[in-house]
Amino acid sequence: MWSIFDKGYHRSILINIQCSNFDDALQASKRFSGTLVGVMAKSFFHLQQGIAFAHQLRDAGIMVSAGLGDGCPNQWERALKLALNARTEHLNQVFPVAALSQKALEQAGVDTCVNALIRPSGRPGLVNISTGPFSEQAAEAIIPAETAAAMLSEAGVRSLKFFPMEGTKALPEAIALAKAAARYDMILEPTGGLTPENVGPIVAALLDAGVTHIIPHLYGSLKDATTGNLDIGRFEKAVAAIETHA
């Protein structure tokens, strides 16, 4: 699962984005080889359409991140099916089924890096792991960040997705999680409110906390407000910020 970082900046930083069309995805991938293009299960009424789009991207050498769509827990099984069928490099998953998904992909012979969705608690050092379709509706499961990282690591999951960060609002919590990730040699994926303006300082702060592999997710902040397509200028600004601060 570490092979996806072969194309990353210093083999340690990737960027996860969304593109509404193939041409935007290809342009972004050519500009920065460490680009993961998200294909969200929630975006396709017929999942086969999403699988076909993911295949088109991968056939062109573009790395694909199978996603839920807005962190929607009800999409976990469809996202897994997308990853299995398209053999995507990356899968976004909710905490309760991340290990199951990682094992299913491994048994199918698919080399996919699976993350586990963890939410901020409002208190640095503590995180909310109740991100599944049922657990999300139950009482919040607030546990130490280090315990969450340990539980995932011992179950074979090597990446922590921290969402929603709301830009730098939850940065102190992300830093605490980064320290836990570093202890178990895990990837950290800060998500939510990241922009070309703040992604550089966020990545730098997380690296300073000791984590060595980071995948920042930038979505709406890279879209053209009129067309909804990728704003390549904004994308290039984000990449430049990462390269400057990493």
Side-chain angles (χ1 to χ4, degrees), residues 117-131 139-146 148 161-166 169-177 191:
L117 174 59
I118 294 174
R119 297 194 187 280
S121 69
R123 292 170 287 174
L126 296 174
V127 295
N128 179 4
I129 64 168
S130 50
T131 58
E140 290 185 336
I142 307 297
I143 67 172
E146 186 171 330
K161 182 176 182 179
F162 194 53
F163 169 82
M165 272 194 59
E166 298 183 67
K169 180 180 178 180
L171 183 56
E173 294 180 69
I175 289 172
L177 185 58
T191 310

Side-chain angles (χ1 to χ4, degrees), residues 80-222:
L80 175 56
K81 288 179 179 178
L82 196 162
L84 281 166
N85 283 277
R87 305 180 73 85
T88 64
E89 286 80 4
H90 183 262
L91 169 62
N92 298 273
Q93 196 52 280
V94 293
F95 188 101
V97 296
L100 177 153
S101 299
Q102 186 70 74
K103 182 57 66 175
L105 287 155
E106 289 175 2
Q107 290 183 340
V110 184
D111 184 18
T112 298
C113 175
V114 179
N115 67 33
L117 174 59
I118 294 174
R119 297 194 187 280
S121 69
R123 292 170 287 174
L126 296 174
V127 295
N128 179 4
I129 64 168
S130 50
T131 58
F134 298 142
S135 57
E136 186 179 63
Q137 306 302 318
E140 290 185 336
I142 307 297
I143 67 172
E146 186 171 330
T147 302
M151 291 170 65
L152 291 168
S153 182
E154 63 193 6
V157 177
R158 302 304 300 276
S159 188
L160 309 169
K161 182 176 182 179
F162 194 53
F163 169 82
M165 272 194 59
E166 298 183 67
T168 57
K169 180 180 178 180
L171 183 56
E173 294 180 69
I175 289 172
L177 185 58
K179 292 177 180 178
R183 178 169 182 176
Y184 294 98
D185 195 23
M186 300 181 78
I187 303 162
L188 185 59
E189 305 186 35
T191 310
L194 273 67
T195 69
E197 291 73 28
N198 65 27
V199 67
I202 288 173
V203 166
L206 299 179
L207 288 171
D208 286 345
V211 70
T212 58
H213 292 81
I214 304 175
I215 308 177
H217 293 230
L218 286 84
Y219 299 148
S221 66
L222 299 186

